[in-house]
Amino acid sequence: MPTSYDVLIIGSGQAGNPLATAFAEAGRTVALVEENHLGGSCINYGCSPTKALLAAAERAHQIRTAADYGIRSSAPEVDFPAVIARKNAIIQRSRTGVRENLTKEHEGITVLHGHAAFTAPRTLQVKLADNTAQELTAPLIFINTGTRAAVPDLPGLADVPYLTTTELLNLQELPEHLLILGGGYIGLEFGQMFRRFGSKVTIIESGAHLLEHEDADVCGAMEEMLTAEGIEFVLGAQAHHVSQNAEGVVTLSARTREGERRLRGTHLLIATGRVPNSDKLGLDVIGVKSDEKGYIQVNNRLETAAKGVYALGDVHGGPQFTHISYDDYRVVRDGLLHRKWRSARQRPLPYTVFTDPQLGRIGLNEDQAREQGIRYRVGKMPVRTIGRARETGRILGFWKVLVDAQDRVIGAAILGAEGGEIMTMFQLIMMGKLKYQQLQNMVIAHPTWAEGLNNVFSKLEEPTV
């Protein structure tokens, strides 16, 4: 006979874990099924490990550039296995914390390790790690299975030992020359990271510029800054073949505006996006619909077409960020446990690209404002004009803010030191619906990065077409 629970959750990610504890604290019985490591992508191969490695790469860069501050030092020696070991220790602490929270701190939660798939409405079969199977039923089921690296249909790729970000995070030796296929935020973060560790890096992007969802001035400045660190960019490149010779050298062939390019390296990272882990869940059995890419279709309450079945996090498409997955949890928690529903489609989208300097983004960019027919003014200020920037030597980038006809902030792009933190100030401003004059005249402690809020609005002008 199947085992009955009040709630079944497939996937131990940033929406599934807090939802399990919320239902358990409300007195419900919960089974959480995880096929891989507890914690989902953020803890295991996303945010935590990559930011731990970026921190190590930044330390190496600081030592390498110490002479700019009058500090004599020798060139840094990167102990790459030790860098990876530190990252692994951080991950293991996080995994342990998740397990203890689910199993020791909250009664009523059963954690099962295996693969879950629907066999009937409100019914899952879980194939456990010991090759046995268990059938589970519940009136509420939440799919939180996330995504995996997308692998392009590139001739020759199957015969080359390419890397996704998951494998790259576990290398024990530093690549001599890393080829990165994809110029999105993942490719840029890993590109700068490995360049600072000492690898030669080439990034190949099919688009005309990096970060396809950003304004051209942001993309251009990002490319210029990373080029100055020694990263090679090949843009507008259509990769059409990859191979590896007997010496282990990987050759990626691409058609570019300048003609055929054959790019050679020791390692190849595929960073061309993500695909949802929805293809082996038996969704057709219960009539759950997905789009042409496999993302599960949901309404503004995150409900699927099957009664009692919800999809949370990256698996339903849209912006793939940890903070959005966590907000999915809050949407269904408040709706189902407190009868206070709000739309999952009407919420701000802050995000940060963790290059150095960072790119923090909130609200509309110029392209989006024009597309929506919104009248706006734009203020753009070089970071080097901020006193804190000159004192710390972190002078790269610019702040850019959009203001509407009612003098309210509708978007900001902060490319500069602490860009993500500064962007959040603009998010608070937008949520409070403050007018920019209140910020321009606000007394702000000196010398801080926040002083830029006094100054950036003095640059407001009509946009150029």
Side-chain angles (χ1 to χ4, degrees), residues 230-253:
I231 296 175
E232 179 189 12
F233 289 96
V234 183
L235 304 179
Q238 302 299 320
H240 63 84
H241 190 265
V242 63
S243 62
Q244 184 182 43
N245 65 16
E247 288 73 38
V249 176
V250 176
T251 300
L252 187 146
S253 300

Side-chain angles (χ1 to χ4, degrees), residues 102-122:
L102 291 173
T103 59
K104 293 184 179 180
E105 299 177 22
H106 291 87
E107 295 182 2
I109 300 176
T110 300
V111 176
L112 299 173
H113 286 277
H115 175 75
F118 288 94
T119 55
R122 301 182 179 183

Side-chain angles (χ1 to χ4, degrees), residues 26 28 40 44 58 79 105 107 119 128 143 172 221 329 351 361 379 401 405 452 454:
R28 312 286 183 90
N44 293 292
E58 184 176 0
D79 183 349
E105 299 177 22
E107 295 182 2
T119 55
L128 301 171
I143 302 170
Q172 290 298 312
Y329 142 69
Y351 58 92
R361 278 275 288 110
V401 59
N454 285 159

Side-chain angles (χ1 to χ4, degrees), residues 42-112:
C42 180
I43 286 176
N44 293 292
Y45 52 85
C47 316
S48 294
T50 57
K51 277 49 182 181
L53 293 182
L54 283 167
E58 184 176 0
R59 294 296 189 281
H61 181 70
Q62 289 170 346
I63 295 171
R64 196 174 288 118
T65 59
D68 296 341
Y69 296 80
I71 307 299
R72 294 190 181 92
S73 66
S74 57
E77 181 180 345
V78 177
D79 183 349
F80 196 65
V83 170
I84 297 298
R86 175 182 177 271
K87 178 266 298 181
N88 290 341
I90 293 172
I91 293 174
Q92 190 55 53
R93 284 195 295 271
S94 297
R95 289 174 182 167
T96 300
V98 169
R99 179 174 294 280
E100 290 180 351
N101 178 64
L102 291 173
T103 59
K104 293 184 179 180
E105 299 177 22
H106 291 87
E107 295 182 2
I109 300 176
T110 300
V111 176
L112 299 173

Side-chain angles (χ1 to χ4, degrees), residues 9-309:
I9 300 173
I10 313 173
S12 170
Q14 296 303 306
N17 291 341
L19 193 62
T21 61
F23 274 112
E25 289 171 357
R28 312 286 183 90
T29 57
V30 180
L32 187 149
V33 184
E34 175 55 56
E35 188 170 7
N36 297 303
H37 294 293
L38 290 175
S41 62
C42 180
I43 286 176
N44 293 292
Y45 52 85
C47 316
S48 294
T50 57
K51 277 49 182 181
L53 293 182
L54 283 167
E58 184 176 0
R59 294 296 189 281
H61 181 70
Q62 289 170 346
I63 295 171
R64 196 174 288 118
T65 59
D68 296 341
Y69 296 80
I71 307 299
R72 294 190 181 92
S73 66
S74 57
E77 181 180 345
V78 177
D79 183 349
F80 196 65
V83 170
I84 297 298
R86 175 182 177 271
K87 178 266 298 181
N88 290 341
I90 293 172
I91 293 174
Q92 190 55 53
R93 284 195 295 271
S94 297
R95 289 174 182 167
T96 300
V98 169
R99 179 174 294 280
E100 290 180 351
N101 178 64
L102 291 173
T103 59
K104 293 184 179 180
E105 299 177 22
H106 291 87
E107 295 182 2
I109 300 176
T110 300
V111 176
L112 299 173
H113 286 277
H115 175 75
F118 288 94
T119 55
R122 301 182 179 183
T123 305
L124 295 175
Q125 184 183 73
V126 181
K127 293 184 178 179
L128 301 171
D130 61 2
N131 292 322
T132 62
Q134 188 171 347
E135 195 164 73
L136 312 176
T137 64
L140 287 173
I141 300 179
F142 300 91
I143 302 170
N144 183 219
T145 50
T147 61
R148 61 184 183 273
V151 180
D153 184 15
L154 180 60
L157 187 61
D159 301 320
V160 171
Y162 65 87
L163 303 166
T164 66
T165 55
T166 304
E167 291 87 22
L168 188 63
L169 286 167
N170 292 314
L171 286 182
Q172 290 298 312
E173 60 179 23
L174 191 64
E176 179 182 341
H177 186 175
L178 179 62
L179 303 177
I180 300 178
L181 185 59
Y185 73 91
I186 293 176
L188 298 185
E189 289 182 5
F190 275 96
Q192 186 181 44
M193 175 199 305
F194 277 89
R195 179 61 191 144
R196 288 183 168 186
F197 283 143
S199 300
K200 185 177 180 181
V201 175
T202 301
I203 296 178
I204 303 99
E205 164 59 35
S206 60
H209 38 69
L210 308 172
L211 299 171
E212 60 177 337
H213 299 299
E214 306 301 334
D215 287 332
D217 55 352
V218 173
C219 298
M222 180 71 77
E223 181 184 350
E224 182 179 344
M225 290 186 300
L226 295 179
T227 298
E229 290 200 27
I231 296 175
E232 179 189 12
F233 289 96
V234 183
L235 304 179
Q238 302 299 320
H240 63 84
H241 190 265
V242 63
S243 62
Q244 184 182 43
N245 65 16
E247 288 73 38
V249 176
V250 176
T251 300
L252 187 146
S253 300
R255 301 182 185 93
T256 74
R257 289 166 293 186
E258 291 75 30
E260 180 77 4
R261 290 287 304 273
R262 290 181 178 170
L263 304 155
R264 294 177 175 84
T266 57
H267 295 72
L268 173 62
L269 170 65
I270 300 298
T272 52
R274 312 284 296 175
V275 294
N277 293 320
S278 62
D279 48 328
K280 297 180 181 180
L281 295 175
L283 299 179
D284 55 326
V285 173
I286 59 170
V288 168
K289 300 177 181 178
S290 57
D291 64 16
E292 66 280 0
K293 295 182 179 180
Y295 290 104
I296 296 175
Q297 296 181 343
V298 295
N299 63 15
N300 59 10
R301 293 184 174 186
L302 302 172
E303 297 171 299
T304 71
K307 184 175 177 59
V309 179

Side-chain angles (χ1 to χ4, degrees), residues 327-395:
D327 194 54
D328 282 357
Y329 142 69
R330 291 185 293 213
V331 167
V332 295
R333 176 202 63 187
D334 293 347
L336 293 171
L337 291 178
H338 307 303
R339 302 302 175 190
K340 296 179 180 179
W341 283 105
R342 63 180 169 88
S343 174
R345 303 188 192 281
Q346 298 173 353
R347 53 188 172 182
L349 176 58
Y351 58 92
T352 302
V353 180
F354 285 90
T355 48
D356 178 25
Q358 298 171 4
L359 170 62
R361 278 275 288 110
I362 181 65
L364 302 178
N365 61 25
E366 287 199 74
D367 289 340
Q368 293 166 334
R370 282 192 290 265
E371 289 170 4
Q372 296 181 29
I374 297 174
R375 181 187 169 193
Y376 70 94
R377 287 172 291 163
V378 59
K380 187 172 175 181
M381 178 183 72
V383 167
R384 66 177 180 273
T385 63
I386 302 172
R388 185 70 175 167
R390 295 191 299 272
E391 294 149 6
T392 61
R394 303 171 74 185
I395 60 173

